[in-house]
Amino acid sequence: MPTITIFQDDLESLLTGHHKVGPGITMAQLEEWLMLVKGELKGHNSETGELRIELQDSNRPDLWCCEGIARQIRIKQQGRLKPYPFFAKNQKSPHHLIVKPGMEQVRPYVAACTAKGYRVTEKGLAQLIQTQEKMADIFGRKRKTVSIGIYQLRSITFPVTYELVKPDEVRFTPLGMEAAMTLSEMLMVHPKGLEYGPILAVKHLLPILRDAKGQPLSFPPIINSREIGEVRVGDEELFVEVTGTDLPMVVLSLNIFAVNLADRGATIEPVEIQYPTSTMLGKRVTTPQDFGKLKTIRIKAIERALGQELGETVVKQALEAYGYDVSAEKGSVKAKLPPYRHDLMHTMDVVEDVAVSRGYAEFTPVMPAQFTVGSLSEIEQVSDRSRELMVGLGFQEIISNILGSPDHYSRFMRLDGTEWGRTVDVDNIMSLSFSCLRQWMLPSLLRIEAASSRAFYPHRLFEAGDVAIPDRTHELGSRTETVLGALIAHATTHFSEIHSCLDVLLYYLGKEYSLEPIQHPSFLEGRAGRIVVSGKPLGVIGEVHPEVLERWQIAMPVVAFDVNLSQLAMVGESVSSLP
Amino acid sequence: MDISAAIDSLHPLEIKVLMTLGTCQAGTALDSEQLATAAELEPSQLSMAVEWLLAKSLITVQTETVTPIVSLTKVGEEYYRTASPIERVFASAREATGTGKRLTIPDLQSQEGLDPSDVSKAVGRLKKEGVILIIQGGCIETTGRQSPTVEALRTLLGEIHDSSKELKSFTEANRQVIEDFAVKRGNAKEPFRVDDRVTRSFILSSDGASAAGQLLKQGVAEEVSQVTPDLLKDGSWRQKRFRKYTISLRPPRIGTGKKHPYREFLDTVKAKLVSMGFQEMRGALVETEFWDMDALFMPQFHPARDIHDVYFVKEPSHTTAVDEPFLSRVAEVHENGAETGSTGWGYSFDVHRAKRLVLRSQGTAVSARTLAASPNIPGKYFSIARCFRYDQVDATHATDFFQVEGIVLGEDINFRTLLGLLNLFAREVAQAKEVKFLPAYFPFTEPSVEMHVRHPRLGWMELGGAGLFRSEVTLPLGVTVPVIAWGLGLDRMAMVALGIHDIRELFTDNLELIRTTRGLF
């Protein structure tokens, strides 16, 4: 979901067609229009006319720029897309780009075109760079699948070759540097080399674009040459190339650049790419190229999904006003995406475009009428009942993070290296404070107690919630279970006070239990018990060990219990007073 | 005045004072001291009772006498322990005369460390008494006479040091000395202080006389503070008088059992959903990437699946197996769409990646599992699931949070019934009458909607996102009817309801805050 910065006057002039000053648009109008592109206005500076817009659709890179937003709105206003001449079949291209053998092991594909007659302005250049960056970063997965280079056309002699060279064979001055260096030096020294170098799996042969005179254009996907590959304000002739690992994505990215420049007034001339072997688009591929396919869609399918009768004409109009090339037949439409889109996977994608084009407000909401019975899961019911009882016993409910630190969940509890101390740990740790899942509830309660010595006493706290208990026998390596923990803290608290609470709780939950003495490092020896129901251990109760309190920096006696509600719900006959 | 009511509200101390006055001959005035003695009260108790009775107009002030009382100031206590400036000046002068030393006023100041003002006052007074002489060159000599002031001062400091005394108990001459050396405005550095002691005497007002009369006649029932089992058992409560309390005071604070305010908010949402026919789903905190993402048709190269967006589990890092036929079907759909009518993503699906264990990053994982487990058709499901995102924690981002989401399955599900369901949520959950639907994007739904509502207190806000599950999601899991997937973003509503501005406070460790927060739902 990229967020881009565009300028209001630029948008206005692109809306009316290039070189014209458009009428001022209001923000309310703009927000309305942004629905067509799934855009949200995030910021507006009325002095500079700067607009910050977030685009939601990660499959529509054509919309991540001012030209694309304007285009989608313009098509809606004009009812259909005016075809771009350079996508016509059988284009003769004056320029060639030769792909040498061996590229398939490194970065197989390239697409290119030239653009003449658009004089680059300051704002235009900023937009060009922004589009280049967003496309390569998000759509091109940080330049891995797609990267883009833009050059001054007049310095280039065709044909351009795309080939592999040895790391120290070629030297040129990269953008952002003062001196010429070899490709291997760029990988080691240049910031872009350090950032994107890891993309190149093969290190002994590196890709390069050179012109007929042997001048390097760039070292894709790392960096352009400073001599040819630096576009400046005032330039009127550009050469654009896209390299990458996925041919449709590479061609699509070039198509987007071509229509963007054309929308700004440039004349686009295709470049013929000559591959050594055939690709899915042939051996000689002229780019930009409209490689979209017609898809036949039944009107019934659209109507069923949208819940509304529309008919062929309405569907055709809606799709055309969204940029599709459409022909209607009886009961169906044949639709093709515009050449700057390649996101049609399923009929439902077309269905959504019909709805977006017409506007969601055109569809009257209807209540789903089928009858269903609502209910809570069994464990949620047990949990809710326990919570009611704990509140009745005078306990304050707590909610805590489940993701926490091993210090809190194990070390402070004196459980290091014990079975009780095992937790589900995070592999890609960002912060130790959020690096494992809680395996029991007591630490969550002690966290509150440690922070609340000034809150008036007594403290009676409880939490019912999920924990993750490591379990090798489980397919997920752990079991998520619902646990109830309770704690009492005040100057004269003792075992029997918390024992009474557990006794009441389990009585009303209808479970007969017994306590068995247990040696548990978190509790004082001789004052700790295992809670057993029907022979199954379901939790612990006791006076919290003074050393545990010391580690938490708690200066008040604490007694507590921790009982596993998930397992409690499954075991033992519930005791009922009814016959 | 309702005399009986007045009597009922009397404090025991007030009763004692009233009865003391009532037993005297009518019209007798007693002063505070006499009253205290007669009623056997401490002065502080008496003054409280007297003030209350005056406020109730049951007694009035008969006379008010003002008596000047002398006491020592701090300076006076100091002079008593050591010596006053005049004593020191006189002693130095006598010593100088005896030894024939020259003594000037500056000498006195430097030797004795006295204030120039103290020295000049002392010298002036002694000279006036004829006790000293100022001779040529400004030297001081004694005449051999005794100073009455010095003597009187010493005696008075000694007498008053023990306890304050009435001014009139001193002789005329001593009174003069006291006045000369008493603290006055503009001169705080003196040994004596003269204060006016006000002595009042009190008589019963007419109401007071009636009350006292009635009290004497009916006798005072023994007053008790509490009803006790013993009093009830033998019926002796009938002879007791139960003191009335001042019930307008704030009560003492008590701790209470209470649900957590955020949980209470979620409980109301839960109840709403059940009332709308939704069944609760549960899921695990740890999930496979398969159920968390693959089954939702999020391609394995999707940016949200990056190492910087999801928490991976360390040990074990992978599940042993993902249930078939779901794994194979989903893999095929990702690769080429299989029989879903989709083209698929067109990449090579990594089965090992699907088995990677992660901390559940979206509640939709729970829905995916439900779809695969033969759900009811028609069916409505919800879950309030804890999810984890690899986010820097700040006021608006939590790393550990609840997601409220679910699904609706049925033959009648389509885009318009989706909007109808969202309308219902807007009305039931946010009490909103105005709703706006915006096109949105989620990887697993098409069409997708974002719902904005006008909340009665918050104004326009995003309430949630929804859409129809893509066939690429439902068909491989064995569901052939259309399915709505919906999610509600309730944290902002919760934060406003709880009056907090930082999302971290939803899980605060501040017990005082949790105890005092009351939700406005």
Side-chain angles (χ1 to χ4, degrees), chain A residues 97-110 161-165 200 202 205-209 220 243-245 274-277:
Chain A
L97 193 156
I98 301 157
V99 181
K100 292 281 178 73
M103 296 312 294
E104 63 277 2
Q105 357 161 8
V106 179
R107 199 170 176 82
Y109 305 109
V110 61
T161 54
Y162 180 47
E163 61 196 308
L164 291 174
V165 293
L200 296 162
V202 183
L205 285 172
L206 298 172
I208 191 155
L209 279 163
T243 60
T245 54
Q274 301 175 350
Y275 287 95
T277 53

Side-chain angles (χ1 to χ4, degrees), chain B residues 202-396:
Chain B
F202 307 95
I203 56 166
L204 290 170
S205 68
S206 63
D207 283 336
S210 328
Q214 206 166 311
L215 276 172
L216 287 167
K217 199 163 71 197
Q218 73 189 37
V220 183
E222 189 193 339
E223 197 187 68
V224 289
S225 58
Q226 264 179 308
V227 182
T228 63
D230 286 342
L231 290 180
L232 293 171
K233 218 177 280 169
D234 60 12
S236 59
W237 61 270
R238 289 188 171 76
Q239 282 82 53
K240 308 294 181 195
R241 184 170 171 278
F242 297 97
R243 183 154 58 78
K244 298 196 171 160
Y245 298 145
T246 313
I247 55 167
S248 58
L249 296 178
R250 301 273 303 160
R253 197 175 159 190
I254 53 165
T256 180
K258 192 168 72 62
K259 288 183 181 173
H260 190 282
Y262 181 40
R263 195 62 186 258
E264 219 177 348
F265 172 83
L266 293 174
D267 280 351
T268 62
V269 173
K270 191 169 82 180
K272 279 281 180 202
L273 288 167
V274 171
S275 77
M276 289 186 269
F278 284 85
Q279 238 175 300
E280 196 206 4
M281 317 176 270
R282 306 280 284 202
L285 297 170
V286 172
E287 244 321 342
T288 53
E289 283 204 34
F290 181 81
W291 291 110
D292 199 68
M293 288 172 280
D294 292 327
L296 296 168
F297 199 53
M298 287 173 74
Q300 293 183 321
F301 55 79
H302 194 281
R305 301 185 60 162
D306 201 69
I307 182 139
H308 302 299
D309 291 278
V310 182
Y311 282 109
F312 295 108
V313 174
K314 193 171 177 184
E315 183 63 34
S317 61
H318 291 76
T319 186
T320 41
V322 174
D323 287 346
E324 289 290 6
F326 307 117
L327 178 62
S328 315
R329 284 192 199 159
V330 168
E332 203 188 339
V333 166
H334 276 242
E335 289 182 348
N336 58 35
E339 273 128 51
T340 61
S342 171
T343 62
W345 289 107
Y347 72 101
S348 166
F349 186 88
D350 178 358
V351 171
H352 191 61
R353 179 80 195 264
K355 293 179 181 171
R356 188 84 174 88
L357 292 174
V358 297
L359 304 191
R360 179 171 60 203
S361 70
Q362 48 189 358
T364 322
V366 186
S367 296
R369 288 251 189 199
T370 302
L371 287 180
S374 307
N376 293 334
I377 295 170
K380 296 201 198 104
Y381 295 87
F382 81 99
S383 78
I384 300 181
R386 197 70 81 90
C387 300
F388 306 92
R389 289 272 167 89
Y390 202 83
D391 255 332
Q392 284 291 350
V393 178
D394 62 29
T396 52

Side-chain angles (χ1 to χ4, degrees), chain A residues 349-367:
Chain A
D349 297 307
V350 181
V351 168
E352 184 184 79
D353 285 345
V354 171
V356 172
S357 178
R358 287 182 63 74
Y360 281 8
E362 290 295 309
F363 296 86
T364 320
V366 176
M367 272 294 295

Side-chain angles (χ1 to χ4, degrees), chain A residues 416-576:
Chain A
D416 271 0
T418 70
E419 187 62 21
W420 290 299
R422 289 181 56 219
T423 51
V424 172
D425 297 333
V426 166
D427 194 23
N428 52 334
I429 294 172
M430 173 156 57
S431 142
L432 260 187
S433 315
F434 304 106
S435 62
C436 63
L437 297 181
R438 71 178 172 203
Q439 80 283 28
W440 64 322
M441 194 58 82
L442 185 50
S444 292
L445 302 175
L446 288 174
R447 182 187 71 110
I448 307 276
E449 182 55 35
S452 303
S453 61
R454 282 154 183 262
F456 82 96
Y457 285 90
H459 293 171
R460 292 160 86 89
L461 312 176
F462 82 98
E463 176 169 356
D466 285 353
V467 303
I469 302 164
D471 182 351
R472 273 290 183 182
T473 64
H474 194 279
E475 54 161 18
L476 296 173
S478 63
R479 304 189 313 268
T480 295
E481 291 185 340
T482 303
V483 165
L484 170 70
L487 158 166
I488 302 174
H490 63 82
T492 57
T493 191
H494 50 81
F495 185 86
S496 65
E497 190 177 0
I498 193 76
H499 190 185
S500 302
C501 297
L502 178 73
D503 198 68
V504 167
L505 176 78
L506 293 179
Y507 175 80
Y508 287 111
L509 290 179
K511 300 290 180 185
E512 302 231 42
Y513 76 102
S514 62
L515 292 189
E516 291 172 0
I518 184 181
Q519 284 198 353
H520 188 295
S522 302
F523 299 98
L524 265 180
E525 205 183 328
R527 299 184 180 189
R530 177 184 281 134
I531 303 163
V532 180
V533 178
S534 301
K536 268 201 86 170
L538 297 181
V540 284
I541 180 170
E543 293 191 8
V544 177
H545 199 286
E547 199 180 313
V548 170
L549 298 179
E550 234 173 62
R551 290 182 186 184
W552 279 98
Q553 297 187 304
I554 293 170
M556 192 62 75
V558 174
V559 294
F561 71 73
D562 200 276
V563 62
N564 188 317
L565 297 179
S566 298
Q567 293 189 23
L568 186 73
M570 289 187 300
V571 298
E573 281 299 299
S574 284
V575 183
S576 166

